[in-house]
Each structure stands twice: as C-alpha cells, then as structure tokens.
Coordinates of all heavy atoms in Angstrom, one line a residue:
H7 N 8.5 184.1 203.6 CA 9.1 184.5 204.9 C 10.5 184.1 204.9 O 10.8 182.9 205.3 CB 8.3 184.0 206.1 CG 7.0 184.6 206.2 ND1 6.8 185.9 206.8 CD2 5.7 184.2 205.9 CE1 5.5 186.2 206.8 NE2 4.8 185.2 206.3
I8 N 11.5 184.9 204.6 CA 12.9 184.6 204.6 C 13.7 185.5 205.5 O 14.8 185.2 205.9 CB 13.6 184.5 203.3 CG1 13.6 185.9 202.6 CG2 12.9 183.5 202.4 CD1 14.4 185.9 201.3
I9 N 13.1 186.6 205.9 CA 13.7 187.5 206.8 C 13.9 186.7 208.2 O 13.0 186.1 208.6 CB 12.9 188.8 207.1 CG1 12.6 189.5 205.8 CG2 13.7 189.7 208.0 CD1 13.8 189.9 205.0
R10 N 15.2 186.8 208.7 CA 15.6 186.1 209.8 C 15.8 184.6 209.5 O 15.9 183.7 210.4 CB 14.6 186.2 211.0 CG 14.4 187.6 211.5 CD 13.8 187.7 212.9 NE 14.6 187.1 213.9 CZ 15.6 187.7 214.5 NH1 15.9 188.9 214.2 NH2 16.4 187.1 215.4
G11 N 15.9 184.3 208.2 CA 16.2 182.9 207.8 C 17.6 182.9 207.3 O 18.6 183.0 208.0
P12 N 17.8 182.7 206.0 CA 19.1 182.7 205.4 C 19.8 184.1 205.5 O 19.1 185.1 205.6 CB 18.9 182.3 203.9 CG 17.5 182.8 203.6 CD 16.7 182.6 204.9
A13 N 21.1 184.1 205.3 CA 21.8 185.4 205.3 C 21.3 186.1 204.0 O 21.1 185.5 203.0 CB 23.3 185.2 205.3
M14 N 21.3 187.4 204.1 CA 20.9 188.3 202.9 C 21.9 189.4 202.8 O 22.7 189.7 203.7 CB 19.5 188.8 203.1 CG 18.4 187.7 203.2 SD 16.7 188.4 203.3 CE 16.5 189.0 201.6
A15 N 21.9 190.1 201.6 CA 22.8 191.1 201.4 C 22.3 192.1 200.4 O 21.4 191.8 199.6 CB 24.2 190.5 200.9
W16 N 23.0 193.2 200.3 CA 22.8 194.2 199.3 C 24.2 194.3 198.5 O 25.2 194.4 199.2 CB 22.5 195.6 199.8 CG 21.1 195.7 200.3 CD1 20.6 195.5 201.6 CD2 19.9 196.0 199.5 NE1 19.2 195.7 201.6 CE2 18.8 196.0 200.4 CE3 19.7 196.3 198.2 CZ2 17.5 196.3 199.9 CZ3 18.4 196.6 197.7 CH2 17.3 196.6 198.6
F17 N 24.1 194.1 197.2 CA 25.2 194.3 196.3 C 25.0 195.5 195.5 O 23.8 196.0 195.3 CB 25.4 193.1 195.4 CG 26.0 191.9 196.1 CD1 25.2 191.1 196.9 CD2 27.3 191.5 195.9 CE1 25.7 190.0 197.5 CE2 27.8 190.4 196.5 CZ 27.0 189.6 197.3
R18 N 26.0 196.0 194.9 CA 25.9 197.1 193.9 C 26.9 196.8 192.7 O 27.9 196.2 192.9 CB 26.1 198.5 194.5 CG 27.5 198.8 194.9 CD 27.4 200.2 195.6 NE 28.8 200.6 196.1 CZ 29.0 201.7 196.8 NH1 28.0 202.4 197.2 NH2 30.2 202.0 197.2
R19 N 26.5 197.3 191.6 CA 27.3 197.2 190.4 C 27.3 198.5 189.6 O 26.3 199.1 189.3 CB 26.8 196.1 189.5 CG 27.7 195.9 188.2 CD 27.5 194.6 187.6 NE 26.1 194.4 187.1 CZ 25.6 193.2 186.7 NH1 26.4 192.2 186.6 NH2 24.4 193.1 186.3
V20 N 28.5 198.9 189.3 CA 28.7 200.1 188.4 C 29.1 199.5 187.0 O 29.7 198.4 186.9 CB 29.7 201.1 188.9 CG1 29.3 201.6 190.3 CG2 31.1 200.4 189.1
P21 N 28.9 200.3 186.0 CA 29.2 199.8 184.6 C 30.7 199.4 184.5 O 31.6 200.1 185.0 CB 28.9 201.0 183.7 CG 27.8 201.7 184.5 CD 28.2 201.5 185.9
G22 N 30.9 198.2 184.0 CA 32.3 197.8 183.8 C 32.9 197.1 184.9 O 34.1 196.6 184.9
K23 N 32.2 196.9 186.0 CA 32.7 196.3 187.2 C 31.8 195.1 187.6 O 30.6 195.1 187.2 CB 32.9 197.3 188.3 CG 34.0 198.3 188.2 CD 34.2 199.0 189.5 CE 35.5 199.9 189.4 NZ 35.8 200.6 190.6
E24 N 32.3 194.2 188.4 CA 31.5 193.1 189.0 C 30.7 193.6 190.1 O 30.9 194.7 190.7 CB 32.5 192.0 189.5 CG 33.4 191.4 188.4 CD 32.5 190.6 187.4 OE1 31.5 190.0 187.8 OE2 32.9 190.7 186.2
K25 N 29.7 192.9 190.5 CA 28.9 193.2 191.7 C 29.8 193.1 192.9 O 30.6 192.2 193.1 CB 27.7 192.1 191.8 CG 26.6 192.3 190.8 CD 25.6 191.2 191.0 CE 24.5 191.3 190.0 NZ 23.5 190.2 190.1
E26 N 29.6 194.1 193.8 CA 30.3 194.1 195.1 C 29.3 194.2 196.2 O 28.3 194.9 196.2 CB 31.3 195.3 195.1 CG 32.3 195.3 194.0 CD 33.2 196.5 194.1 OE1 32.8 197.5 194.6 OE2 34.4 196.4 193.7
V27 N 29.7 193.4 197.3 CA 28.8 193.5 198.4 C 28.9 194.8 199.1 O 30.0 195.3 199.3 CB 29.1 192.3 199.4 CG1 30.5 192.4 200.0 CG2 28.1 192.2 200.5
V28 N 27.8 195.4 199.5 CA 27.7 196.6 200.2 C 27.5 196.4 201.7 O 28.2 196.9 202.6 CB 26.6 197.5 199.6 CG1 26.4 198.8 200.5 CG2 26.9 197.9 198.2
A29 N 26.5 195.5 202.0 CA 26.2 195.2 203.3 C 25.5 193.8 203.3 O 24.9 193.4 202.4 CB 25.2 196.2 203.9
A30 N 25.7 193.1 204.4 CA 25.1 191.8 204.6 C 24.6 191.6 206.0 O 25.1 192.3 206.9 CB 26.1 190.7 204.2
I31 N 23.7 190.7 206.2 CA 23.1 190.5 207.5 C 22.8 189.0 207.7 O 22.4 188.3 206.7 CB 21.8 191.4 207.7 CG1 21.4 191.3 209.1 CG2 20.8 191.0 206.7 CD1 20.3 192.4 209.4
S32 N 22.9 188.5 208.9 CA 22.5 187.2 209.3 C 21.8 187.3 210.6 O 22.0 188.3 211.3 CB 23.6 186.2 209.3 OG 24.5 186.6 210.3
W33 N 21.0 186.3 211.0 CA 20.3 186.4 212.2 C 20.6 185.3 213.2 O 20.6 184.1 212.7 CB 18.8 186.4 211.9 CG 18.3 187.7 211.2 CD1 18.0 188.9 211.9 CD2 18.2 188.0 209.8 NE1 17.6 189.8 210.9 CE2 17.7 189.3 209.7 CE3 18.4 187.2 208.7 CZ2 17.5 189.9 208.5 CZ3 18.2 187.8 207.5 CH2 17.8 189.1 207.3
G34 N 20.8 185.6 214.4 CA 20.9 184.6 215.5 C 19.6 184.6 216.2 O 18.6 185.2 215.9
P35 N 19.5 183.8 217.3 CA 18.2 183.6 218.1 C 17.7 185.0 218.6 O 16.5 185.2 218.7 CB 18.6 182.7 219.2 CG 19.8 181.9 218.7 CD 20.6 182.9 217.8
R36 N 18.6 185.9 219.0 CA 18.2 187.1 219.7 C 18.8 188.3 219.1 O 18.5 189.4 219.5 CB 18.5 187.0 221.1 CG 17.9 185.9 221.9 CD 18.2 186.0 223.4 NE 17.7 184.9 224.2 CZ 18.2 183.7 224.2 NH1 19.3 183.5 223.6 NH2 17.6 182.8 224.9
T37 N 19.6 188.2 218.1 CA 20.3 189.4 217.5 C 20.6 189.2 216.0 O 20.3 188.1 215.5 CB 21.6 189.6 218.3 OG1 22.1 190.9 217.9 CG2 22.6 188.6 218.0
S38 N 21.1 190.2 215.4 CA 21.5 190.1 214.0 C 23.0 190.4 213.9 O 23.6 191.1 214.8 CB 20.7 191.1 213.2 OG 20.9 192.4 213.6
Y39 N 23.6 190.0 212.9 CA 25.0 190.2 212.6 C 25.1 190.9 211.3 O 24.5 190.5 210.3 CB 25.8 188.9 212.6 CG 25.6 188.1 213.9 CD1 24.6 187.1 213.9 CD2 26.5 188.3 215.0 CE1 24.5 186.4 215.1 CE2 26.3 187.5 216.1 CZ 25.3 186.6 216.2 OH 25.1 185.9 217.3
E40 N 25.9 192.0 211.3 CA 25.9 192.8 210.1 C 27.3 193.0 209.6 O 28.3 193.1 210.4 CB 25.3 194.2 210.4 CG 23.8 194.1 210.8 CD 23.4 195.3 211.6 OE1 24.0 196.3 211.5 OE2 22.4 195.1 212.4
Y41 N 27.5 193.1 208.3 CA 28.7 193.4 207.7 C 28.5 194.6 206.8 O 27.5 194.7 206.1 CB 29.3 192.2 206.9 CG 30.3 192.6 205.9 CD1 31.7 192.7 206.3 CD2 30.0 192.9 204.6 CE1 32.6 193.1 205.4 CE2 31.0 193.3 203.7 CZ 32.3 193.4 204.1 OH 33.3 193.8 203.2
Y42 N 29.5 195.5 206.8 CA 29.5 196.7 205.9 C 30.8 196.8 205.2 O 31.9 196.7 205.8 CB 29.2 198.0 206.6 CG 27.8 198.0 207.3 CD1 27.6 197.6 208.6 CD2 26.7 198.3 206.5 CE1 26.4 197.6 209.2 CE2 25.4 198.3 207.1 CZ 25.3 197.9 208.4 OH 24.0 197.9 209.0
D43 N 30.8 197.1 203.9 CA 32.0 197.4 203.2 C 32.6 198.7 203.8 O 31.8 199.6 204.2 CB 31.8 197.6 201.7 CG 33.0 197.8 200.9 OD1 33.7 196.8 200.6 OD2 33.3 199.0 200.6
A44 N 33.9 198.8 203.8 CA 34.5 199.9 204.4 C 34.1 201.3 203.9 O 34.0 202.3 204.6 CB 36.1 199.8 204.3
V45 N 33.7 201.3 202.6 CA 33.4 202.6 202.0 C 32.0 203.1 202.4 O 31.7 204.3 202.2 CB 33.5 202.6 200.5 CG1 34.9 202.3 200.0 CG2 32.6 201.6 199.9
V46 N 31.2 202.2 203.0 CA 29.8 202.6 203.4 C 29.6 202.5 204.9 O 28.6 203.0 205.4 CB 28.7 201.8 202.7 CG1 28.9 201.8 201.2 CG2 28.7 200.3 203.2
R47 N 30.6 201.9 205.6 CA 30.4 201.8 207.0 C 30.2 203.1 207.7 O 31.0 204.1 207.5 CB 31.7 201.0 207.6 CG 31.5 200.5 209.0 CD 32.7 199.6 209.4 NE 32.8 198.5 208.4 CZ 34.0 198.1 207.9 NH1 35.1 198.7 208.3 NH2 34.0 197.0 207.1
G48 N 29.2 203.2 208.6 CA 28.9 204.4 209.2 C 27.9 205.3 208.5 O 27.4 206.2 209.1
R49 N 27.7 205.0 207.2 CA 26.7 205.7 206.5 C 25.5 204.9 206.1 O 24.4 205.4 206.0 CB 27.3 206.2 205.2 CG 28.5 207.2 205.3 CD 28.9 207.8 204.0 NE 29.4 206.8 203.1 CZ 28.9 206.6 201.9 NH1 27.9 207.3 201.4 NH2 29.4 205.7 201.0
F50 N 25.7 203.6 205.9 CA 24.6 202.7 205.5 C 24.2 201.8 206.7 O 25.0 201.5 207.5 CB 25.0 201.8 204.3 CG 25.2 202.5 203.0 CD1 25.2 203.9 202.9 CD2 25.3 201.8 201.9 CE1 25.3 204.5 201.7 CE2 25.5 202.4 200.6 CZ 25.5 203.8 200.6

C-alpha cells in the first residue's frame, strides 16, 4: 500500500534519450497534487 504515500510518477524514454517525467502526483490529507509535462498537459 503506497498509493497516497510517497510521491509517484510516470516517466517515458525514447531510444537515445534519457527518461523524462510525464506526470507526477503527491497526496495531501484531502486532495492530490499533480504535475504534467507541457507536451501532455490537457491530454494525460
């Protein structure tokens, strides 16, 4: 059980490049905080 525990994220990697964060999430007492890379914001 780690959901709503530590921050978690989705990364992606294309050949020849480093892993890049796509989206990340952390949880507060009553809500969640989300981050999205600009290229996926509004779609993911």
Side-chain angles (χ1 to χ4, degrees):
H7 289 283
I8 63 171
I9 304 299
R10 300 195 66 82
M14 299 184 71
W16 286 94
F17 284 77
R18 67 186 182 188
R19 180 163 61 189
V20 298
K23 288 192 173 183
E24 299 293 324
K25 286 178 184 174
E26 296 180 334
V27 64
V28 173
I31 188 168
S32 65
W33 289 274
R36 298 182 184 83
T37 188
S38 62
Y39 304 92
E40 297 155 25
Y41 163 82
Y42 297 95
D43 185 82
V45 296
V46 306
R47 195 172 299 138
R49 299 189 296 123
F50 290 12

